[in-house]
Amino acid sequence: IAEMLEGDGHQVVAVDSGDAALQALASEDFDLVFLDFNMHDIDGATVYETYRFGRLHPAPTFFVTADTSSLTASRLEALGAAGTIYKPVTFEK
């Protein structure tokens, strides 16, 4: 996703863990956020809930996941996610 966005001229900040995502989200304002739903340390839903707590206008957040179950889709929708992107992510999608 980072390569696709950079190729389209967007500035991208990419991190490799939920903790690093929380640090980045606390230190900068973003126009748009993509979170992997299944990260190795903190799941994306928890990162999102922590990030938006106390914010009047959190950035629209999309979750990236390979989990296509209706339970996960319902959970992400209930969180207020802007949308879900299912892996594998390709230019065609």
Side-chain angles (χ1 to χ4, degrees):
I1 292 174
E3 288 179 22
M4 290 179 202
L5 292 170
E6 289 170 337
D8 201 30
H10 299 280
Q11 182 181 9
V12 175
V13 174
V15 297
D16 61 1
S17 69
D19 184 56
L22 285 172
Q23 290 178 27
L25 291 166
S27 64
E28 290 185 55
D29 288 325
F30 293 94
D31 296 324
L32 187 64
V33 175
F34 291 96
L35 288 172
D36 196 319
F37 181 63
N38 294 306
M39 293 185 271
H40 65 277
D41 58 345
I42 305 171
D43 70 73
T46 302
V47 170
Y48 179 65
E49 290 175 317
T50 304
Y51 158 64
R52 75 168 195 196
F53 182 77
R55 289 186 179 258
L56 292 176
H57 304 289
T61 301
F62 289 83
F63 286 93
V64 181
T65 184
D67 183 345
T68 60
S69 72
S70 59
L71 181 63
T72 296
S74 296
R75 180 177 180 203
L76 296 177
E77 185 177 322
L79 284 172
T84 304
I85 299 170
Y86 295 101
K87 295 178 185 178
V89 178
T90 64
F91 283 104
E92 292 76 34
K93 286 183 180 180

